[in-house]
Amino acid sequence: MQQIKNIVEIQDFALESRRAGKTIALVPTMGYLHDGHLMLMKKAREKADLVIVSIFVNPIQFGPNEDLDRYPQDLEGDLAKCRAVGVDVVFTPTNEDLYPDLFQTSVDVKEISKGLCGAGRPGHFQGVTTVVSKLFNLTLPNIAFFGEKDFQQLAVIRRMVIDLNFPIEIIGVPIVRENDGLAMSSRNANLPDRERKEAANIYQALSQAKSLYEQGNRESDQLCRAVLNQLEEKFESPYQVEYIKLYDAFNLTEINGLITTPAVMLIAVHLSGTRLIDNLQL
Ligand code: PAF
């Protein structure tokens, strides 16, 4: 496995590999890798000749009052994990190389970036789509893998790839959960013990709403209310629900009222200064 830091070197590597007829899978990450990331890499390993993992904490997708400074990092540990699952190249660009002086271009997927996380984190998806476009141009993948935990991000990237004609297949990989159901996330490392334990209530509340749906309840507001009630009952630590919503799982529009299409329930919760997101398809 090689580590490439330089943007010219990675693009040369990708160009030569593609000219030699090799297929490339890209797994973009911000590091502090967990089993969810490793699942993306294993899927990538099955699908392409070469697997490139990028590790870059992208400053432009964080707002001024967000957790850029507290974002956990462990490059040595990450490299060992990548090596263990058979990654070929880990791309670790620098901030200065990706965003040199005078940098001023961005990619904006206008509509589906607006709600959910986009409402609470203005500019976030523009930062994501800008860096992902750059990573696509630098690593020239045939396929790229993203986790379904970031359900809106996945939809935004799929839209961008269609709209901008990137010749790349986007594959979404189901959420990997801890034993108690908490969706794996690098940010879980920032939770104190008590909040970490209580964070499992988020998935349990979503699962309970899904049971109600399976029993025939099709009212979006009742299902969202059931989640809120369950959280209120179970949490002892202070917490704040940023949103709990039902969306059409395909076109990512909000469902208010009767659910008649395949739907996904999405939630964002703040717990001890850490923002957790999760979702469950109904
Ligand atoms: O999902 C993430 O980790 C990031 O948003 C991504 C896709 C690597 C872009 O920085």
Side-chain angles (χ1 to χ4, degrees), residues 5 17 22 35 38 56 59 76 118 134 141 146 152-153 172 180 192 201 211 217 247 262 264 268 270 272:
K5 299 180 185 169
S17 304
K22 302 234 188 272
D35 286 354
L38 299 186
F56 178 65
E76 284 316 307
K134 287 170 72 70
F146 295 85
Q152 187 180 14
Q153 169 173 280
D180 61 2
N201 290 316
S211 307
N217 190 329
Y247 266 58
V264 56
H270 294 256
S272 178

mmCIF file of all heavy atoms in Angstrom, residues 5 17 22 35 38 56 59 76 118 134 141 146 152-153 172 180 192 201 211 217 247 262 264 268 270 272:
data_model
loop_
_atom_site.group_PDB
_atom_site.id
_atom_site.type_symbol
_atom_site.label_atom_id
_atom_site.label_comp_id
_atom_site.label_asym_id
_atom_site.label_seq_id
_atom_site.Cartn_x
_atom_site.Cartn_y
_atom_site.Cartn_z
ATOM 1 N N LYS A 5 0.636 11.974 -1.075
ATOM 2 C CA LYS A 5 0.151 13.246 -0.530
ATOM 3 C C LYS A 5 -0.041 14.285 -1.638
ATOM 4 O O LYS A 5 -0.819 15.202 -1.511
ATOM 5 C CB LYS A 5 1.175 13.814 0.472
ATOM 6 C CG LYS A 5 1.417 12.904 1.662
ATOM 7 C CD LYS A 5 2.426 13.516 2.616
ATOM 8 C CE LYS A 5 2.739 12.524 3.719
ATOM 9 N NZ LYS A 5 3.857 12.866 4.537
ATOM 10 N N SER A 17 -2.993 4.352 -14.405
ATOM 11 C CA SER A 17 -3.749 3.135 -14.089
ATOM 12 C C SER A 17 -4.922 2.970 -15.050
ATOM 13 O O SER A 17 -5.181 1.877 -15.558
ATOM 14 C CB SER A 17 -4.272 3.178 -12.653
ATOM 15 O OG SER A 17 -3.219 3.385 -11.761
ATOM 16 N N LYS A 22 -6.932 -0.457 -15.887
ATOM 17 C CA LYS A 22 -7.344 -0.839 -14.529
ATOM 18 C C LYS A 22 -8.560 -0.016 -14.096
ATOM 19 O O LYS A 22 -8.669 1.166 -14.451
ATOM 20 C CB LYS A 22 -6.215 -0.588 -13.535
ATOM 21 C CG LYS A 22 -4.929 -1.327 -13.848
ATOM 22 C CD LYS A 22 -4.504 -2.129 -12.648
ATOM 23 C CE LYS A 22 -3.141 -2.747 -12.821
ATOM 24 N NZ LYS A 22 -3.182 -4.044 -13.459
ATOM 25 N N ASP A 35 -15.539 0.814 11.572
ATOM 26 C CA ASP A 35 -15.974 -0.333 10.774
ATOM 27 C C ASP A 35 -16.897 0.051 9.613
ATOM 28 O O ASP A 35 -16.983 -0.676 8.624
ATOM 29 C CB ASP A 35 -16.681 -1.372 11.660
ATOM 30 C CG ASP A 35 -15.669 -2.124 12.525
ATOM 31 O OD1 ASP A 35 -14.445 -1.918 12.336
ATOM 32 O OD2 ASP A 35 -16.099 -2.910 13.390
ATOM 33 N N LEU A 38 -14.576 0.818 6.938
ATOM 34 C CA LEU A 38 -13.912 -0.412 6.464
ATOM 35 C C LEU A 38 -14.854 -1.222 5.577
ATOM 36 O O LEU A 38 -14.433 -1.856 4.620
ATOM 37 C CB LEU A 38 -13.408 -1.251 7.651
ATOM 38 C CG LEU A 38 -12.374 -0.540 8.548
ATOM 39 C CD1 LEU A 38 -11.817 -1.480 9.599
ATOM 40 C CD2 LEU A 38 -11.230 0.062 7.745
ATOM 41 N N PHE A 56 -9.065 13.256 4.315
ATOM 42 C CA PHE A 56 -8.889 14.715 4.308
ATOM 43 C C PHE A 56 -10.036 15.341 5.097
ATOM 44 O O PHE A 56 -11.208 15.164 4.740
ATOM 45 C CB PHE A 56 -8.896 15.242 2.858
ATOM 46 C CG PHE A 56 -8.775 16.737 2.760
ATOM 47 C CD1 PHE A 56 -7.616 17.389 3.178
ATOM 48 C CD2 PHE A 56 -9.833 17.504 2.266
ATOM 49 C CE1 PHE A 56 -7.508 18.777 3.106
ATOM 50 C CE2 PHE A 56 -9.720 18.893 2.182
ATOM 51 C CZ PHE A 56 -8.553 19.526 2.606
ATOM 52 N N PRO A 59 -12.014 21.466 5.418
ATOM 53 C CA PRO A 59 -12.454 22.618 6.236
ATOM 54 C C PRO A 59 -13.673 23.323 5.667
ATOM 55 O O PRO A 59 -14.473 23.865 6.435
ATOM 56 C CB PRO A 59 -11.228 23.543 6.237
ATOM 57 C CG PRO A 59 -10.398 23.120 5.084
ATOM 58 C CD PRO A 59 -10.664 21.665 4.857
ATOM 59 N N GLU A 76 -1.900 7.362 11.696
ATOM 60 C CA GLU A 76 -1.164 6.083 11.763
ATOM 61 C C GLU A 76 -2.142 4.915 11.873
ATOM 62 O O GLU A 76 -2.010 3.904 11.182
ATOM 63 C CB GLU A 76 -0.181 6.090 12.949
ATOM 64 C CG GLU A 76 1.071 6.909 12.694
ATOM 65 C CD GLU A 76 1.680 6.687 11.301
ATOM 66 O OE1 GLU A 76 1.922 5.521 10.950
ATOM 67 O OE2 GLU A 76 1.889 7.674 10.565
ATOM 68 N N GLY A 118 -28.705 20.434 5.582
ATOM 69 C CA GLY A 118 -28.393 21.667 4.852
ATOM 70 C C GLY A 118 -29.006 22.883 5.536
ATOM 71 O O GLY A 118 -28.452 23.984 5.486
ATOM 72 N N LYS A 134 -13.424 17.617 -6.603
ATOM 73 C CA LYS A 134 -11.963 17.672 -6.715
ATOM 74 C C LYS A 134 -11.360 16.272 -6.550
ATOM 75 O O LYS A 134 -10.463 15.878 -7.314
ATOM 76 C CB LYS A 134 -11.384 18.639 -5.655
ATOM 77 C CG LYS A 134 -11.651 20.103 -5.988
ATOM 78 C CD LYS A 134 -11.314 21.037 -4.840
ATOM 79 C CE LYS A 134 -9.824 21.211 -4.600
ATOM 80 N NZ LYS A 134 -9.105 21.953 -5.633
ATOM 81 N N PRO A 141 -11.969 7.924 -10.465
ATOM 82 C CA PRO A 141 -12.535 6.603 -10.180
ATOM 83 C C PRO A 141 -13.609 6.181 -11.189
ATOM 84 O O PRO A 141 -14.271 7.034 -11.781
ATOM 85 C CB PRO A 141 -13.168 6.790 -8.800
ATOM 86 C CG PRO A 141 -13.546 8.237 -8.765
ATOM 87 C CD PRO A 141 -12.507 8.963 -9.575
ATOM 88 N N PHE A 146 -20.053 5.547 -0.759
ATOM 89 C CA PHE A 146 -20.454 6.458 0.317
ATOM 90 C C PHE A 146 -21.415 5.720 1.247
ATOM 91 O O PHE A 146 -22.207 4.894 0.803
ATOM 92 C CB PHE A 146 -21.174 7.692 -0.260
ATOM 93 C CG PHE A 146 -20.289 8.547 -1.113
ATOM 94 C CD1 PHE A 146 -20.111 8.257 -2.466
ATOM 95 C CD2 PHE A 146 -19.607 9.631 -0.581
ATOM 96 C CE1 PHE A 146 -19.277 9.024 -3.267
ATOM 97 C CE2 PHE A 146 -18.774 10.417 -1.367
ATOM 98 C CZ PHE A 146 -18.604 10.112 -2.710
ATOM 99 N N GLN A 152 -28.586 12.158 3.082
ATOM 100 C CA GLN A 152 -28.763 13.343 2.234
ATOM 101 C C GLN A 152 -27.506 13.573 1.402
ATOM 102 O O GLN A 152 -27.583 13.900 0.214
ATOM 103 C CB GLN A 152 -29.072 14.564 3.104
ATOM 104 C CG GLN A 152 -29.444 15.802 2.306
ATOM 105 C CD GLN A 152 -29.738 16.995 3.195
ATOM 106 O OE1 GLN A 152 -29.420 16.976 4.394
ATOM 107 N NE2 GLN A 152 -30.328 18.032 2.633
ATOM 108 N N GLN A 153 -26.339 13.394 2.034
ATOM 109 C CA GLN A 153 -25.074 13.566 1.300
ATOM 110 C C GLN A 153 -25.032 12.640 0.077
ATOM 111 O O GLN A 153 -24.641 13.043 -1.023
ATOM 112 C CB GLN A 153 -23.899 13.271 2.223
ATOM 113 C CG GLN A 153 -22.559 13.167 1.507
ATOM 114 C CD GLN A 153 -21.394 13.035 2.475
ATOM 115 O OE1 GLN A 153 -20.957 14.019 3.035
ATOM 116 N NE2 GLN A 153 -20.879 11.823 2.659
ATOM 117 N N GLY A 172 -24.048 3.298 -2.650
ATOM 118 C CA GLY A 172 -24.375 3.581 -1.244
ATOM 119 C C GLY A 172 -24.293 2.290 -0.452
ATOM 120 O O GLY A 172 -24.765 1.250 -0.905
ATOM 121 N N ASP A 180 -25.136 -1.808 20.310
ATOM 122 C CA ASP A 180 -26.378 -1.270 20.876
ATOM 123 C C ASP A 180 -27.203 -0.500 19.841
ATOM 124 O O ASP A 180 -28.218 0.096 20.181
ATOM 125 C CB ASP A 180 -26.070 -0.381 22.090
ATOM 126 C CG ASP A 180 -25.200 0.835 21.729
ATOM 127 O OD1 ASP A 180 -24.878 1.012 20.546
ATOM 128 O OD2 ASP A 180 -24.859 1.608 22.639
ATOM 129 N N PRO A 192 -18.850 11.687 25.868
ATOM 130 C CA PRO A 192 -18.504 11.135 27.177
ATOM 131 C C PRO A 192 -19.278 9.822 27.406
ATOM 132 O O PRO A 192 -20.302 9.583 26.751
ATOM 133 C CB PRO A 192 -18.990 12.210 28.156
ATOM 134 C CG PRO A 192 -19.261 13.422 27.338
ATOM 135 C CD PRO A 192 -19.546 12.973 25.942
ATOM 136 N N ASN A 201 -30.301 5.351 22.257
ATOM 137 C CA ASN A 201 -31.748 5.617 22.232
ATOM 138 C C ASN A 201 -32.217 6.154 20.880
ATOM 139 O O ASN A 201 -33.386 6.025 20.529
ATOM 140 C CB ASN A 201 -32.113 6.651 23.299
ATOM 141 C CG ASN A 201 -31.972 6.059 24.692
ATOM 142 O OD1 ASN A 201 -32.388 4.930 24.924
ATOM 143 N ND2 ASN A 201 -31.376 6.812 25.601
ATOM 144 N N SER A 211 -41.607 0.105 13.752
ATOM 145 C CA SER A 211 -42.578 -0.934 14.127
ATOM 146 C C SER A 211 -44.002 -0.398 13.992
ATOM 147 O O SER A 211 -44.890 -1.100 13.503
ATOM 148 C CB SER A 211 -42.415 -1.386 15.582
ATOM 149 O OG SER A 211 -41.115 -1.752 15.816
ATOM 150 N N ASN A 217 -49.370 2.228 10.786
ATOM 151 C CA ASN A 217 -49.452 3.681 10.952
ATOM 152 C C ASN A 217 -48.723 4.384 9.800
ATOM 153 O O ASN A 217 -47.520 4.188 9.609
ATOM 154 C CB ASN A 217 -48.832 4.082 12.308
ATOM 155 C CG ASN A 217 -49.111 5.534 12.648
ATOM 156 O OD1 ASN A 217 -49.220 6.365 11.754
ATOM 157 N ND2 ASN A 217 -49.222 5.835 13.925
ATOM 158 N N TYR A 247 -38.975 11.585 4.808
ATOM 159 C CA TYR A 247 -38.715 12.033 3.443
ATOM 160 C C TYR A 247 -38.980 10.883 2.474
ATOM 161 O O TYR A 247 -38.820 9.703 2.831
ATOM 162 C CB TYR A 247 -37.247 12.475 3.300
ATOM 163 C CG TYR A 247 -37.037 13.958 3.500
ATOM 164 C CD1 TYR A 247 -37.417 14.583 4.681
ATOM 165 C CD2 TYR A 247 -36.448 14.734 2.502
ATOM 166 C CE1 TYR A 247 -37.218 15.950 4.859
ATOM 167 C CE2 TYR A 247 -36.244 16.095 2.675
ATOM 168 C CZ TYR A 247 -36.633 16.701 3.858
ATOM 169 O OH TYR A 247 -36.436 18.048 4.027
ATOM 170 N N PRO A 262 -42.030 4.788 -0.764
ATOM 171 C CA PRO A 262 -40.946 4.341 0.111
ATOM 172 C C PRO A 262 -40.337 5.542 0.825
ATOM 173 O O PRO A 262 -40.018 6.547 0.197
ATOM 174 C CB PRO A 262 -39.949 3.705 -0.860
ATOM 175 C CG PRO A 262 -40.770 3.314 -2.035
ATOM 176 C CD PRO A 262 -41.850 4.354 -2.146
ATOM 177 N N VAL A 264 -38.029 7.407 4.222
ATOM 178 C CA VAL A 264 -36.903 7.283 5.145
ATOM 179 C C VAL A 264 -37.119 8.297 6.263
ATOM 180 O O VAL A 264 -37.569 9.417 6.016
ATOM 181 C CB VAL A 264 -35.544 7.470 4.408
ATOM 182 C CG1 VAL A 264 -35.469 8.784 3.668
ATOM 183 C CG2 VAL A 264 -34.368 7.351 5.362
ATOM 184 N N ALA A 268 -31.425 14.304 13.393
ATOM 185 C CA ALA A 268 -30.138 14.861 13.858
ATOM 186 C C ALA A 268 -30.340 15.278 15.303
ATOM 187 O O ALA A 268 -31.324 15.957 15.628
ATOM 188 C CB ALA A 268 -29.718 16.062 13.017
ATOM 189 N N HIS A 270 -28.278 16.708 18.922
ATOM 190 C CA HIS A 270 -27.053 17.245 19.543
ATOM 191 C C HIS A 270 -26.973 16.710 20.966
ATOM 192 O O HIS A 270 -27.927 16.831 21.728
ATOM 193 C CB HIS A 270 -27.092 18.774 19.588
ATOM 194 C CG HIS A 270 -27.063 19.376 18.225
ATOM 195 N ND1 HIS A 270 -25.936 19.964 17.705
ATOM 196 C CD2 HIS A 270 -28.006 19.468 17.260
ATOM 197 C CE1 HIS A 270 -26.199 20.405 16.480
ATOM 198 N NE2 HIS A 270 -27.452 20.108 16.194
ATOM 199 N N SER A 272 -24.156 16.618 24.149
ATOM 200 C CA SER A 272 -22.877 17.002 24.715
ATOM 201 C C SER A 272 -21.943 17.649 23.668
ATOM 202 O O SER A 272 -20.772 17.285 23.563
ATOM 203 C CB SER A 272 -22.226 15.758 25.327
ATOM 204 O OG SER A 272 -20.990 16.038 25.849
#
